[in-house]
Amino acid sequence: MITFGIMSLNLESENSYINEIACHAESLSMEVFRFIPSEINPHTLLVKGRKFNPVTKNWRDCEAPIPTIVYDRCFYGEDEHSKQCLPIVTWLKSRSDIIFLGYGLPNKLELYQVLKNTPLSSYLPQTQAVLDVDSVLSELTAKHKVILKPINGSQGYGIYYLKRNEKTIHVKTEKQKRIISRIFPNEAKLVQWLKQLLKQRNYLLQPYLELSNKEHQPFDIRTLLQKNERGQWKEQGRGVRIGSTGGILSNLAAGGSVITFKEWITSLKPSKGEYIQQELDYIFDILPSTLEKNFMPLFEIGIDIGIAKDGSIWILDINSKPGRKVLLFTNPELKDTLYTKPLLYGKHLFETGPTERKVYYEKTLSH
Ligand SMILES: Nc1ncnc2c1ncn2[C@@H]1O[C@H](COP(=O)(O)OP(=O)(O)O)[C@@H](O)[C@H]1O
Ligand SMILES: [Mg+2]
């Protein structure tokens, strides 16, 4: 029986998703073992974790060898436990006897730097590392509206919109589903605030794109691409996330809502809808192979696409550990498919062996 390992930073994370995967395993002659990287004993190569019992549908504590097939669902923060686990995961990824479904992606800035030299460059918002306060001020003067986001961010956390008015500067962010707005009366006050912000974490800067609909709600298209049981990339579906009126984020974690892609695209003029469809098909067709050519093998990616008021199309974000909420909401019939795909691809990898992979030195808290 193949053991399908699921690795996360705590044994309660994504319980409903991981339980569903576990319930689908037996019919594929697989068993599921979940564990935390920091529980690996480096001497014995055994790890304490929980094995799923398909009869009782319960998890039982046990110690077992590190599974050969690992589905990595570790979401790192800036906390000590994340910092402890990251080098262990990097070590696991370097072992040739362990096969990861996907090896993750680097941070947003490294992704940009690589993708800007590919045919996808015209879809990428111009992105630069924030090195100091002065670079933010000069970009703000040049562009009037900019976005600051953490290089290692996710779920819309810590994203700031900055707008220069004649004398004042308007800063907006969203925290715990609320829009927080602040007006700085002059540049000196903004500089004080920026200095503090930039001390906390590394940021990147992008021009602010007008990604809102007619109701002034920011929105984006979220697509899930996954490999199937033969290792071929397939699109699982698309949904449209809509944020709060006057807000800046369309992330669900920020309190957004969801509509189907069909509902959204049919609300556009047919010629515009057709154009956008073609562009999206092109992006989704070449993105997975472009990523795998430049980085490590992947199993799935979630892509956030922004459509600006002028019709321009932007790749905003690529996640190697995507959520499934949008798709389960817009395409509930995909439920069983979404819960069996990781198992099927894991089985494929087990049977065919790992794809050749480059040596990977992880520098950042992002994979
Ligand atoms: N350059 C930008 N201009 C306007 N809105 C943006 C820009 N970048 C991101 N956003 C908004 O912020 C959201 C989160 O940004 P994203 O890059 O996906 O970061 P995260 O990893 O936190 O999800 C996007 O879904 C979009 O609504
Ligand atoms: Mg995102």
Side-chain angles (χ1 to χ4, degrees):
M1 182 131 1
I2 304 170
T3 301
F4 185 83
I6 303 182
M7 186 176 68
S8 55
L9 292 188
N10 78 67
L11 290 180
E12 303 299 323
S13 72
E14 297 194 291
N15 265 343
S16 70
Y17 178 48
I18 291 174
N19 276 334
E20 288 284 1
I21 294 176
C23 287
H24 286 75
E26 199 194 16
S27 61
L28 298 168
S29 312
M30 296 170 95
E31 60 177 12
V32 174
F33 176 70
R34 68 176 298 183
F35 66 98
I36 299 175
S38 53
E39 290 293 330
I40 296 172
N41 180 329
H43 304 295
T44 61
L45 295 185
L46 295 174
V47 52
K48 283 194 205 118
R50 289 184 191 157
K51 192 169 275 180
F52 186 75
N53 181 331
V55 181
T56 60
K57 308 244 179 291
N58 282 324
W59 296 86
R60 185 174 49 81
D61 288 348
C62 66
E63 194 172 35
I66 305 171
T68 307
I69 300 290
V70 175
Y71 186 27
D72 176 7
R73 296 296 290 177
C74 293
F75 297 96
Y76 303 100
E78 304 280 339
D79 54 286
E80 282 310 308
H81 185 234
S82 292
K83 288 181 186 150
Q84 180 199 0
C85 287
L86 194 78
I88 302 172
V89 175
T90 304
W91 164 75
L92 276 181
K93 285 181 176 175
S94 74
R95 290 187 67 102
S96 54
D97 55 342
I98 295 168
I99 309 172
F100 277 63
L101 261 64
Y103 286 81
L105 286 170
N107 68 42
K108 289 182 200 292
L109 192 64
E110 282 181 56
L111 254 179
Y112 170 78
Q113 282 159 349
V114 169
L115 291 182
K116 74 171 192 236
N117 298 313
T118 69
L120 291 167
S121 67
S122 58
Y123 300 100
L124 304 174
Q126 189 208 332
T127 301
Q128 64 189 74
V130 175
L131 301 174
D132 50 30
V133 170
D134 285 344
S135 61
V136 179
L137 296 179
S138 62
E139 285 301 307
L140 196 52
T141 303
K143 304 204 167 79
H144 297 283
K145 295 176 186 177
V146 300
I147 286 274
L148 293 182
K149 62 177 120 168
I151 286 174
N152 287 311
S154 71
Q155 300 202 317
Y157 180 76
I159 298 188
Y160 292 87
Y161 158 90
L162 278 68
K163 175 174 178 244
R164 181 183 278 285
N165 301 319
E166 223 164 276
K167 288 207 179 82
T168 61
I169 298 112
H170 183 185
V171 174
K172 199 156 56 168
T173 189
E174 291 190 42
K175 245 186 214 151
Q176 284 154 0
K177 310 195 175 181
R178 283 177 41 216
I179 302 169
I180 299 170
S181 236
R182 191 162 165 193
I183 309 276
F184 290 91
N186 53 48
E187 208 168 77
K189 291 275 186 225
L190 177 78
V191 167
Q192 263 178 12
W193 172 81
L194 269 176
K195 272 192 181 150
Q196 285 306 317
L197 185 81
L198 302 185
K199 255 190 223 156
Q200 290 159 22
R201 49 180 61 84
N202 294 324
Y203 281 87
L204 59 81
L205 181 146
Q206 293 178 341
Y208 173 73
L209 305 164
E210 306 279 348
L211 305 174
S212 301
N213 60 18
K214 284 194 209 98
E215 285 76 41
H216 306 290
Q217 294 160 319
F219 75 96
D220 64 21
I221 297 163
R222 178 93 199 218
T223 305
L224 178 69
L225 308 182
Q226 287 183 317
K227 281 184 180 161
N228 67 8
E229 56 280 12
R230 288 185 299 283
Q232 299 154 328
W233 283 100
K234 292 274 180 259
E235 177 178 341
Q236 293 299 355
R238 323 174 170 176
V240 176
R241 300 184 299 192
I242 303 175
S244 324
T245 306
I248 44 174
L249 306 176
S250 36
N251 299 61
L252 281 191
S257 56
V258 180
I259 59 171
T260 63
F261 179 77
K262 196 168 169 211
E263 185 181 346
W264 175 75
I265 200 94
T266 48
S267 72
L268 306 178
K269 252 198 269 163
S271 58
K272 187 173 178 187
E274 239 162 74
Y275 167 74
I276 291 175
Q277 290 260 32
Q278 277 171 12
E279 292 281 289
L280 292 180
D281 289 344
Y282 171 71
I283 294 172
F284 301 150
D285 190 34
I286 68 167
L287 186 58
S289 58
T290 306
L291 291 171
E292 289 191 307
K293 221 180 280 163
N294 288 285
F295 305 107
M296 298 278 283
L298 297 163
F299 156 56
E300 57 186 347
I301 46 175
I303 308 157
D304 302 345
I305 302 275
I307 313 278
K309 287 198 171 124
D310 62 4
S312 52
I313 295 170
W314 302 97
I315 301 175
L316 293 177
D317 197 17
I318 306 167
N319 297 294
S320 61
K321 291 168 190 160
R324 266 143 268 269
K325 262 197 202 138
V326 173
L327 268 199
L328 284 173
F329 189 86
T330 56
N331 306 55
E333 76 286 354
L334 286 178
K335 214 169 159 274
D336 285 331
T337 309
L338 293 183
Y339 299 136
T340 45
K341 276 286 176 282
L343 295 162
L344 289 170
Y345 182 60
K347 199 169 198 185
H348 167 79
L349 283 178
F350 189 85
E351 282 157 4
T352 56
T355 37
E356 201 188 317
R357 58 186 199 241
K358 301 177 209 94
V359 182
Y360 192 61
Y361 296 104
E362 186 52 51
K363 290 175 289 206
T364 60
L365 263 183
S366 59
H367 58 129

